[in-house]
Amino acid sequence: MRRSVIACCLIFASVATATVSPVLTPEIITAPQRFLASVKPPSPQAPTSLNPGQVAAATSGVALIAGAAAGCVPATVAGLMTAAIVTAPVNILDIAIMENASGKRKIGAALAHGMERLSSDPMGFAKSPESATVRVHFATANICKHLALPTVPFLIATTAANMGSCFYKDSELARICGTTAKKDFPLLSYASLAARDSLAMGSSFTLPPIIGKAMIATMGVPAAFANNFAQLFTPVVAQTVQVPFHLLALSLYNNPEMTIKERTASMKSLYTETLWARMARVLPCYGAGGVINNGLKARLAASPSAPPAPAK
């Protein structure tokens, strides 16, 4: 029974990846059809994209089904509630970073525009690409933690789901925030995002508990302080390594004609301000969001209707 439940969790990661990742549809799955169609005149239409609101709704449905199969609906609901709280700031910062990288707006102007959107249409953020992404993040992590998966399977499952959702989100935002005609996201950009997301999942869900335990054992600090400190700041510090992969993915999309020297110089000029913006983005999503998520899980798990965690 335990193996079947774990399989359900891994299936959720795969389904989430296939559901929200356009890389699986236009670039890979339809490659033979596109090759055969290449003898025809090129279509003037821009690449089609999935509706972010529908993707977010489908993601929630799949997450709840997987949570029910794993016997951890309260933990799954906690993840979805956390996602609803952090979606708006993540979307505002994501777009600011994308627009700054493409040259459409400076970060300050983009942040101001995002705050205007928040004040005029706060519910619109529920239909943003980030809405699906953060739901996948927290729902998958909570299901895997409920199942007490070992470190490596846990990292594989969360990374698989995260990659698919972020592939969808980042390719969608790159097209929205770019200054050129919409086009397919390069496969090399997806590879760069995959490296970034592997580091993100490790620093957001795998390393914080390990660092928290180390702080308790070596420094003698209270468990609550150690765990919250590790959860808040580990993902933030990890941005120093993740930002180059993020900038490379965007550069390959926005400026495919650049030489290696030009691309390196461009990334260096954008690194510092992008680093600060990514740190500010990660703090509410994986830092404060992780603390909120843990608190909600504890509250919902304490309810009389919550099923017990599986035996380790």
Side-chain angles (χ1 to χ4, degrees), residues 37-59:
S38 63
V39 296
K40 300 178 181 179
S43 172
Q45 296 180 346
T48 59
S49 58
L50 301 174
N51 182 292
Q54 294 174 344
V55 172
T59 299

Side-chain angles (χ1 to χ4, degrees), residues 30-43:
T30 63
Q33 295 92 323
R34 289 190 294 112
F35 174 77
L36 293 175
S38 63
V39 296
K40 300 178 181 179
S43 172

Side-chain angles (χ1 to χ4, degrees), residues 6-272:
I6 293 175
C8 289
C9 178
L10 296 177
I11 289 172
F12 165 59
S14 300
V15 170
T17 301
T19 300
V20 301
S21 176
V23 67
L24 298 178
T25 303
E27 278 86 1
I28 295 178
I29 294 179
T30 63
Q33 295 92 323
R34 289 190 294 112
F35 174 77
L36 293 175
S38 63
V39 296
K40 300 178 181 179
S43 172
Q45 296 180 346
T48 59
S49 58
L50 301 174
N51 182 292
Q54 294 174 344
V55 172
T59 299
S60 296
V62 173
L64 290 171
I65 292 172
C72 60
V73 171
T76 307
V77 171
L80 296 177
M81 291 173 64
T82 302
I85 294 171
V86 304
T87 292
V90 170
N91 174 263
I92 291 172
L93 287 160
D94 268 348
I95 289 182
I97 294 168
M98 293 280 189
E99 290 186 338
N100 183 65
S102 69
K104 187 175 183 178
R105 284 190 182 97
K106 292 294 185 181
I107 280 187
L111 290 174
H113 183 256
M115 295 305 295
E116 290 177 5
R117 289 190 296 115
L118 179 61
S119 61
S120 62
D121 185 22
M123 296 306 296
F125 288 91
K127 300 178 182 179
S128 67
E130 284 83 0
S131 182
T133 302
V134 292
R135 292 182 200 194
V136 170
H137 290 342
F138 289 108
T140 304
N142 287 358
I143 292 173
C144 291
K145 285 185 178 179
H146 176 83
L147 295 172
L149 292 184
T151 300
V152 174
F154 177 89
L155 184 58
I156 291 174
T158 53
T159 300
N162 180 75
M163 280 185 186
S165 61
C166 282
F167 283 175
Y168 163 71
K169 183 260 295 180
D170 287 329
S171 60
E172 188 75 8
L173 289 182
R175 295 183 180 112
I176 293 172
C177 302
T179 56
T180 60
K182 293 183 179 181
K183 54 195 175 187
D184 289 339
F185 210 61
L187 291 179
L188 285 178
S189 290
Y190 284 119
S192 186
L193 293 179
R196 181 203 66 184
D197 293 341
S198 298
L199 294 169
M201 289 300 96
S203 63
S204 300
F205 297 115
T206 305
L207 284 180
I210 297 172
I211 294 175
K213 290 178 181 178
M215 290 177 64
I216 295 170
T218 60
M219 302 171 64
V221 297
F225 173 83
N227 292 330
N228 287 339
F229 181 89
Q231 183 64 66
L232 281 169
F233 292 104
T234 304
V236 174
V237 174
Q239 287 303 309
T240 56
V241 182
Q242 295 174 40
V243 164
F245 293 103
H246 181 78
L247 288 176
L248 177 59
L250 297 181
S251 178
L252 290 169
Y253 174 81
N254 291 317
N255 303 293
E257 75 288 346
M258 276 187 172
T259 64
I260 295 178
K261 184 177 180 179
E262 291 172 337
R263 197 177 306 283
T264 302
S266 174
M267 290 170 58
K268 283 183 178 179
S269 68
L270 294 170
Y271 178 82
T272 301

